[in-house]
Amino acid sequence: MADALARKDVSAVELTQAHLDRIATVDGDVHAFLHVDSEGALAAAADVDQRRAAGEQLHALAGVPIAVKDVVATQGLPTTAGSKILEGWVPPYDATLVSRLKAAGMPILGKTNMDEFAMGSSTEHSAYGPSRNPWDLERIPGGSGGGSAAAIAAFEAPLAIGTDTGGSIRQPASVTGTVGTKPTYGGVSRYGLIALASSLDQAGPCTRTVLDAALLHEVIGGHDPLDSTSIDAPVPPVVEAARRGEVKGMRIGVIKEISGEGFQEGVKSRFEESLDLLRDAGAEIVEVSCPSFEQGLAAYYLILPSEASSNLAKFDAMRYGLRVAPEGIQSPSAEQVMAATRDAGFGDEVKRRIILGTYALSSGYYDAYYGQAQKVRTLIARDFAAAFERADVLVTPTAPTTAFKLGEKLDDPMSMYLNDVATIPANLAGVPGMSLPNGLAEDGLPSGFQILAPATKDERLYEVGAALERMLLSQWGSPILTNAPELTGKEIAR
Amino acid sequence: MSVHTEDVVSYDEAIATYDPVMGLEVHVELNTNTKMFCGCATEFGAEPNTQVCPVCLGLPGALPVVSHTAVESAIRIGLALNCEIAEWCRFARKNYFYPDMPKNFQTSQYDEPIAFNGYLDVDLEDGSTYRVEIERAHMEEDTGKALHVGGSTGRIHGAEYSLIDYNRAGIPLIEIVTKPLTGAGERAPEIAKAYVSALRDLIKALGVSDVRMEQGSMRCDANVSLMPKGAQKFGIRTETKNVNSLRSVERAVRYEISRHAAVLNSGGTIIQETRHWHEDTGVTTAGRPKSDAEDYRYFPEPDLVPVAPTRERVEELRGTLPEPPAQRRKRLQSEWGYSDLEMRDVINAGATELIEQTVAAGASPPAARKWWTGELARRANVEGKGVDEFGVTPAHVAELDSLVRGGRLNDAMARQVMDGVIDGEGTPTQVADARGLELVQDDGALEAAVDKVIAANDDVAQKVRDGKLNAAGALIGQVMKEMKGQADAAKARELILAKLT
Ligand SMILES: [Zn+2]
């Protein structure tokens, strides 16, 4: 697309309009978007066309439209984080990554659907209704960034921004047959991301190919003085690595604890076949053990709610967003208004986690819960360090199963949480991870291949990912996503 | 809300039975140009909500970044208080709801303060010194300011609505916490005042804060408890919040000691709570109950990287510390030759710096002291102003002193000139010129006046001739009157005596 734009085969306005048309046609089915900004996107595209016509040197992605997860603040565009409590809130400022997209000349199509405050693995916890998987509209597109992944898979956007706190970029990528990268913690500025869990959150690219992901990674990555946790170093050479795609002589570690036991049969087989391809291409496959990963899920579900309970405290009906008057009270106090607003504005999953987090941080329980979870986190980082002594990258299936049916796990939070078992350790340790499609499982649905690299060595994800992608493409004969079903936008009444 | 005055016993009676224990927490607002975690300005008195941004408003998505300058100011305060400086420390979140706190948590330091384990030696009225042990000095951000409109008291109770100004939200604060101060006995209120005063001088000398208690840039919370004389176990304490003058610190501590004693004497127990100080009535009233179990759900602030000052930088900062105020006062006292009593007057008048500058501008130390702690202090007191609020500068005082010493003005004339300076008529020389104030140096005119007065007061002149030299005073007064005050009294006396004896 970028090449076509550069050659002036197609204008940015045409390209943007084509995606807006596609959104108009299919988003009734998919519900990837919470807000579409046709006017803003077309204006940005027209500006790029004008500058290109004037002979200005533009960024490679200038004019390529993009969708942004609704947890990212966009000046002048509604930003709700999938929650009723922020309904109608229009931020007065741009997140740093949005400023960078705009600086690169990328028109923003709109804001994508997500689980409320990024809590969930299916996008069913969105206060504005679930998104649907373009492969099968009865199924979930993953979460929390299901909207971004679905928009890519349904061809509503060529590129999207996701955020990944425990797998919310990689798991949706896995179940929608797309590519998703979670960069090293601090690799992309968090300034302007409505925080779920500050020490785990990381924004990253959602795309259809590994090279696209690298190009987008390069645009949004890099140091930001507004985020003190952002890494003060140049973006790793991800584009170069994605163009090269070479695994000869590389040591690839299979994590014994997450290598497929209890995983769906087809997911396991596709993973094994990918390992064979990598071995054939000259990589050395080694088995590594990360015993503390088993406690990762428990630690994550203490740290996340703890930080979230504090981060969400600011939603108190005083300054922005929703305000609800309590029923039957003549002149309510600030506390009563706040209670009524939070009751109406937060969904069940959010309430569940706020209560859990408040409990885990309270005095007398801190050491037993939050403190203990932080210790597990240290152990996981140690496991990773040891594993990376033996391997250049680590690999696992991204998610235990292909996309499950809408509603299937809604009443069983534990089984929903288990979906992130393979992705969570990377967030706890701050290391980068990528999911790319490695074929369809026995049920005809996509499954994902996860690659993990040491912190700040993000380029290794692209090196291995691009190599595997090339081999898979030559096997399939075409990109996996051409198999996506036809969507008409009329099939499902909502 | 009506103020209910509780029973108290006399201070002497309280102190005869109990040993007071104090803990003082002083909040100092740093005078950095930007806030603790963002680039917003910190100017006092700006239009409400003009100095705000997504960060200090706590908007969704905004992130804090620590002000380097604030950290260095905190380290300098810590060093001046003889503290150890942490090699590595973090901020923590203190989670609680408050309408004027944008994020509903305060970013503060909890178990990892930047400075800890220090002390400050405090000089007392009787010339002795009390060592106040410092527990910690930590960094935090200020909250916004709520204005409750429509009620009669200005408090939230009874107000129709509230307005919030976030200009102050995020201004860097240093909280300095003492260890429990024991063994103070009856001097406890004096020590409290002297400590806050010494702290104010120290921080002012560091130049890191305006330390204006009346503007809230320095605030004191005073914890007080009593234990029966000879006991080891501390009593239950109360915390009197936001005491905002030195005098009030002393009075509030004194009041709480008397109040605690009354409760304990009557067999009651002290309730652990915060108290509000009422400047007008001189009493404290109950605030909210506070227990040790109050749960702020502290945890390390994940949005900020740890603060880890290098040892080299800490030593560099140590090199920037000014001479400690107590040491400086001793040096100046000996340079100026003041008695202990004179020096104490100077300190109490807050005139040390003014005198230092006046002497530097050429005045004699006694004259400088006389002006700043005498005439100007008296007028300041009458007008309820600060001694430095008249527009009179050390240079003015030095110039006036040189006019007196040069024989152009006598003391009475000098006071008139000072009036003119205060009224904005110009420099002392300009005022003396404009008002025609000058000792008459013309001996002829003086002699004529003396002759005239002797002739007109023959009875008095006779007394002098008879050897009653004291009577000459009356004649001098007449001469001065004759010459409209512009005569040199010493010269007039000389002449009178020469003519009559
Ligand atoms: Zn600000």
Side-chain angles (χ1 to χ4, degrees):
Chain A
M1 253 169 236
D3 293 343
L5 281 166
R7 287 194 309 267
K8 299 184 188 168
D9 290 351
V10 62
S11 74
V13 167
E14 284 166 342
L15 191 61
T16 302
Q17 189 59 58
H19 284 98
L20 289 169
D21 291 347
R22 175 74 180 168
I23 293 169
T25 311
V26 309
D27 207 51
D29 285 352
V30 180
H31 194 220
F33 284 86
L34 292 178
H35 182 82
V36 178
D37 182 26
S38 311
E39 217 171 288
L42 288 170
D47 180 55
V48 167
D49 284 338
Q50 215 165 40
R51 282 158 56 200
R52 184 167 276 130
E56 218 175 291
Q57 194 62 39
L58 299 176
H59 189 278
L61 292 182
V64 178
I66 186 163
V68 176
K69 189 175 176 181
D70 202 36
V71 77
V72 181
T74 42
Q75 188 172 1
L77 277 189
T79 300
T80 67
S83 181
K84 283 281 181 214
I85 209 155
L86 269 176
E87 190 159 26
W89 184 59
V90 178
Y93 75 107
D94 272 330
T96 297
L97 77 85
V98 171
S99 309
R100 290 181 180 177
L101 295 177
K102 288 181 176 173
M106 299 174 70
I108 293 171
L109 294 166
K111 307 299 287 291
T112 56
N113 198 11
M114 58 184 284
D115 284 303
E116 185 176 0
F117 287 109
M119 297 181 191
S121 308
S122 67
T123 317
E124 289 167 292
H125 292 301
S126 166
Y128 303 98
S131 295
R132 293 166 185 279
N133 194 321
W135 289 82
D136 176 353
L137 295 175
E138 300 299 325
R139 292 180 187 268
I140 59 104
S144 63
S148 287
I152 303 291
F155 292 84
E156 294 174 86
L159 305 169
I161 295 294
T163 62
D164 190 312
T165 305
S168 296
I169 289 176
R170 290 161 289 159
Q171 180 258 7
S174 176
V175 298
T176 57
T178 57
V179 176
T181 306
K182 179 199 97 70
T184 299
Y185 180 74
V188 176
S189 169
R190 284 189 297 117
Y191 188 82
L193 268 53
I194 299 176
L196 169 55
S198 310
S199 72
L200 303 165
D201 295 346
Q202 183 57 57
C206 307
T207 62
R208 279 194 285 274
T209 71
V210 172
L211 179 60
D212 283 355
L215 288 165
L216 183 51
H217 188 148
E218 203 180 55
V219 173
I220 59 176
H223 181 62
D224 176 14
L226 295 179
D227 174 1
S228 81
T229 62
S230 97
I231 296 168
D232 194 0
V235 184
V238 290
V239 173
E240 203 188 305
R243 291 196 199 279
R244 195 170 50 233
E246 179 62 71
V247 292
K248 201 173 170 59
M250 215 179 242
R251 288 170 309 161
I252 293 175
V254 178
I255 303 174
K256 193 168 79 179
E257 288 78 6
I258 332 174
S259 61
E261 196 162 332
F263 284 31
Q264 189 181 321
E265 205 50 52
V267 169
K268 257 171 24 185
S269 341
R270 292 299 87 73
F271 179 67
E272 296 296 337
E273 289 158 22
S274 291
L275 287 181
D276 289 341
L277 286 177
L278 290 166
R279 198 181 284 114
D280 292 347
E284 183 192 345
I285 308 293
V286 297
E287 192 182 76
V288 298
S289 176
C290 297
S292 57
F293 282 18
E294 286 171 18
Q295 282 103 56
L297 200 64
Y300 176 82
Y301 278 103
L302 285 169
I303 291 168
L304 180 141
S306 296
E307 293 186 8
S309 71
S310 173
N311 283 331
L312 296 183
K314 65 178 58 165
F315 300 99
D316 61 4
M318 296 297 142
R319 290 164 290 264
Y320 39 75
L322 191 69
R323 179 177 298 181
V324 174
E327 264 174 61
I329 300 174
Q330 265 294 305
S331 53
S333 68
E335 280 79 7
Q336 286 166 327
V337 172
M338 181 165 75
T341 304
R342 290 166 69 95
D343 186 36
F346 285 145
D348 288 345
E349 183 63 19
V350 173
K351 286 176 188 160
R352 180 153 47 227
R353 296 201 199 183
I354 289 175
I355 291 166
L356 193 62
T358 304
Y359 182 75
L361 284 179
S362 54
S363 72
Y365 298 101
Y366 180 93
D367 289 337
Y369 295 115
Y370 188 81
Q372 206 62 25
Q374 290 292 8
K375 283 181 196 155
V376 170
R377 199 168 180 174
T378 309
L379 292 178
I380 287 173
R382 233 176 261 169
D383 274 4
F384 265 121
F388 284 125
E389 289 281 307
R390 302 194 50 217
D392 299 306
V393 294
L394 305 175
V395 297
T396 76
T398 311
T401 65
T402 56
F404 50 86
K405 288 213 160 106
L406 282 154
E408 194 181 320
K409 300 192 178 183
L410 212 45
D411 298 325
D412 185 1
M414 259 322 280
S415 107
M416 184 87 94
Y417 297 170
L418 278 169
N419 233 272
D420 303 329
V421 68
T423 49
I424 279 171
N427 299 79
L428 289 171
V431 305
M434 171 188 282
S435 177
L436 73 153
N438 67 339
L440 304 179
E442 73 278 28
D443 50 12
L445 294 168
S447 83
F449 185 89
Q450 179 179 233
I451 310 166
L452 304 169
T456 74
K457 304 290 183 203
D458 302 45
E459 70 275 13
R460 290 190 197 167
L461 306 176
Y462 294 94
E463 181 95 55
V464 176
L468 179 60
E469 181 183 58
R470 200 174 52 226
M471 293 183 279
L472 289 166
L473 279 176
S474 69
Q475 272 204 340
W476 300 330
S478 68
I480 188 172
L481 266 176
T482 54
N483 295 331
E486 279 295 306
L487 300 165
T488 65
K490 304 283 181 282
E491 289 167 24
I492 290 164
R494 278 191 307 148
Chain B
M1 194 169 72
S2 71
V3 172
H4 167 69
T5 308
E6 293 180 57
D7 291 336
V8 295
V9 300
S10 83
Y11 183 71
D12 290 343
E13 193 187 335
I15 285 301
T17 325
Y18 300 100
D19 282 330
V21 176
M22 287 187 296
L24 299 168
E25 297 170 17
V26 175
H27 285 87
V28 176
E29 255 183 32
L30 297 181
N31 61 5
T32 49
N33 294 326
T34 59
K35 292 186 180 181
M36 188 81 216
F37 301 116
C38 64
C40 285
T42 55
E43 205 180 307
F44 180 80
E47 283 288 298
N49 297 314
T50 52
Q51 299 179 158
V52 294
C53 72
V55 176
C56 55
L57 286 177
L59 291 187
L63 293 176
V65 175
V66 177
S67 155
H68 189 62
T69 319
V71 171
E72 299 217 323
S73 294
I75 293 174
R76 292 180 72 230
I77 289 175
L79 290 171
L81 289 170
N82 306 291
C83 287
E84 295 170 50
I85 304 301
E87 296 196 14
W88 190 92
C89 65
R90 276 183 299 194
F91 282 92
R93 288 191 188 174
K94 181 179 183 178
N95 291 283
Y96 65 102
F97 285 99
Y98 213 66
D100 55 12
M101 205 169 54
K103 297 171 290 188
N104 282 328
F105 61 78
Q106 186 185 27
T107 306
S108 177
Q109 289 195 298
Y110 173 50
D111 50 354
E112 299 170 298
I114 183 87
F116 51 94
N117 265 348
Y119 64 86
L120 180 64
D121 285 331
V122 176
D123 293 336
L124 301 178
E125 292 264 356
D126 62 3
S128 66
T129 300
Y130 182 92
R131 174 162 290 189
V132 174
E133 307 265 359
I134 306 291
E135 169 93 34
R136 58 190 284 154
H138 71 249
M139 302 178 272
E140 61 185 36
E141 58 179 338
D142 211 341
T143 61
K145 210 169 94 185
L147 179 71
H148 306 295
V149 184
S152 54
T153 59
R155 291 179 184 272
I156 194 162
H157 186 84
E160 282 168 34
Y161 59 94
S162 301
L163 298 170
I164 304 179
D165 177 6
Y166 290 107
N167 281 354
R168 208 179 67 184
I171 287 187
L173 287 180
I174 303 298
E175 183 175 348
I176 301 158
V177 182
T178 67
K179 292 182 179 165
L181 307 181
T182 57
E186 61 174 356
R187 299 180 307 169
E190 186 203 340
I191 286 172
K193 178 186 173 192
Y195 164 68
V196 177
S197 168
L199 198 56
R200 193 184 62 173
D201 287 353
L202 182 74
I203 287 166
K204 200 170 179 190
L206 287 168
V208 295
S209 169
D210 304 334
V211 284
R212 295 220 175 101
M213 293 189 85
E214 73 286 357
Q215 284 185 2
S217 64
M218 182 169 180
R219 318 193 272 273
C220 178
D221 299 343
N223 289 280
V224 170
S225 67
L226 296 186
M227 50 187 185
K229 276 213 171 303
Q232 297 298 313
K233 195 172 173 287
F234 292 170
I236 296 167
R237 67 174 193 273
T238 55
E239 181 182 15
T240 306
K241 302 289 278 183
N242 290 329
V243 188
N244 66 353
S245 77
L246 291 179
R247 187 165 160 263
S248 295
V249 170
E250 185 167 22
R251 288 171 73 205
V253 168
R254 204 179 165 89
Y255 177 84
E256 276 298 280
I257 289 173
S258 296
R259 190 184 68 82
H260 280 217
V263 173
L264 296 173
N265 283 350
S266 67
T269 27
I270 300 295
I271 304 160
Q272 188 172 342
E273 63 189 357
T274 61
R275 308 278 302 177
H276 300 298
W277 167 248
H278 302 274
E279 180 72 49
D280 45 353
T281 49
V283 304
T284 66
T285 54
R288 66 194 156 89
K290 191 176 186 177
S291 68
D292 279 331
E294 186 150 21
D295 196 350
Y296 289 117
R297 287 172 288 119
Y298 285 104
F299 72 104
E301 167 58 272
D303 285 330
L304 289 170
V305 288
V307 176
T310 66
R311 292 300 96 181
E312 294 74 31
R313 186 62 191 142
V314 169
E315 287 317 307
E316 270 173 42
L317 290 171
R318 196 190 298 280
T320 69
L321 297 185
E323 185 182 8
Q327 193 178 314
R328 175 163 166 268
R329 282 198 294 270
K330 286 203 180 73
R331 175 176 59 78
L332 290 174
Q333 185 184 346
S334 96
E335 279 175 22
W336 295 340
Y338 291 177
S339 70
D340 288 351
L341 197 67
E342 285 169 343
M343 194 64 198
R344 197 137 65 225
D345 283 348
V346 167
I347 293 163
N348 288 342
T352 314
E353 254 129 74
L354 291 166
I355 290 174
E356 193 180 19
Q357 289 164 21
T358 307
V359 170
S364 73
R369 182 183 58 77
K370 225 172 62 195
W371 280 111
W372 289 112
T373 66
E375 183 63 15
L376 287 167
R378 188 188 58 76
R379 286 198 53 157
N381 203 19
V382 168
E383 294 179 31
K385 279 184 170 174
V387 75
D388 55 352
E389 288 177 68
F390 290 120
V392 176
T393 65
H396 287 149
V397 175
E399 189 181 330
L400 196 51
D401 181 44
S402 88
L403 292 178
V404 173
R405 283 199 287 175
R408 175 167 177 184
L409 302 177
N410 61 22
D411 283 353
M413 293 161 90
R415 276 196 290 276
Q416 289 183 53
V417 170
M418 183 57 89
D419 288 343
V421 175
I422 289 170
D423 290 344
E425 292 168 22
T427 65
T429 307
Q430 287 165 348
V431 174
D433 288 350
R435 294 192 175 191
L437 292 169
E438 178 152 24
L439 287 176
V440 173
Q441 302 293 344
D442 176 359
D443 288 353
L446 184 59
E447 201 166 343
V450 167
D451 288 344
K452 190 176 170 191
V453 167
I454 289 175
N457 296 277
D458 192 48
D459 48 339
V460 184
Q462 192 51 48
K463 283 183 188 166
V464 179
R465 285 193 195 97
D466 293 346
K468 291 183 177 164
L469 299 187
N470 282 344
L475 296 176
I476 296 166
Q478 291 290 321
V479 171
M480 293 302 279
K481 208 169 170 188
E482 189 69 24
M483 303 214 34
K484 297 192 172 64
Q486 307 211 349
D488 186 327
K491 247 183 199 169
R493 179 184 167 84
E494 235 169 73
L495 259 177
I496 289 165
L497 293 181
K499 283 182 187 284
L500 296 179
T501 55

